[in-house]
């Protein structure tokens, strides 16, 4: 069974930074476009960023110029560097393939608050 394990969340002040990681197991990681999603009490789960097998990236308008997605195929890991964080970025962050082909992991909580 595929496992997706997110980590790196926490409490940060507005303007701060966090780096999220997602380790995938039991998949041919390099074959997939991977993505980060987030869900907050106010919103349904939304796509935040994605990265293709070749490294091309796309971002939601709300995070452009602030977030950077990257991947390390040798480590089966996808990352999300989040800078200039805002309170509205508060959410549980999840990774999955683009299109969410696999069961969701537990996610990692990001709270942006002063």
């Amino acid at each position: 069974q595929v496992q997706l394990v997110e980590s790196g969340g926490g409490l940060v002040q507005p303007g701060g930074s966090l780096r999220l990681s997602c380790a995938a197991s039991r998949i041919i990681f390099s074959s997939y476009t991977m993505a980060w999603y987030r869900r907050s009490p106010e919103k349904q789960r939304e796509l935040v960023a994605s990265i293709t097998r070749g490294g091309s990236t796309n971002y939601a308008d709300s995070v452009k110029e602030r977030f950077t997605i990257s991947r390390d195929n040798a480590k089966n890991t996808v990352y999300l560097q989040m800078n200039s964080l805002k309170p509205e970025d508060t959410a549980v962050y999840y990774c999955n393939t683009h299109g969410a082909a696999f069961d969701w992991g537990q996610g990692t909580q990001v709270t942006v608050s002063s």
Side-chain angles (χ1 to χ4, degrees):
Q1 184 174 351
V2 173
Q3 283 190 320
L4 300 167
V5 180
E6 301 90 349
S7 62
L11 173 63
V12 62
Q13 292 186 342
S17 298
L18 283 174
R19 189 191 194 209
L20 308 184
S21 299
C22 172
S25 59
R26 302 189 184 97
I27 65 170
I28 304 174
F29 181 81
S30 59
S31 298
Y32 292 94
T33 293
M34 296 300 297
W36 282 95
Y37 301 79
R38 67 186 180 187
R39 185 177 65 187
S40 65
E42 298 79 21
K43 295 182 180 180
Q44 293 183 343
R45 187 175 280 139
E46 61 174 337
L47 178 65
V48 173
S50 63
I51 183 166
T52 67
R53 295 177 296 173
S56 296
T57 58
N58 276 290
Y59 299 92
D61 287 344
S62 59
V63 307
K64 280 181 181 176
E65 309 300 328
R66 300 189 298 121
F67 290 11
T68 302
I69 188 172
S70 60
R71 67 190 296 162
D72 185 337
N73 289 336
K75 295 182 179 180
N76 282 11
T77 301
V78 60
Y79 304 97
L80 188 67
Q81 177 67 43
M82 305 187 296
N83 298 328
S84 302
L85 282 162
K86 303 176 181 180
E88 51 264 43
D89 295 318
T90 295
V92 180
Y93 284 72
Y94 304 84
C95 74
N96 210 314
T97 64
H98 191 275
F102 301 114
D103 290 343
W104 297 99
Q106 83 286 353
T108 186
Q109 175 71 49
V110 172
T111 302
V112 185
S113 175
S114 55

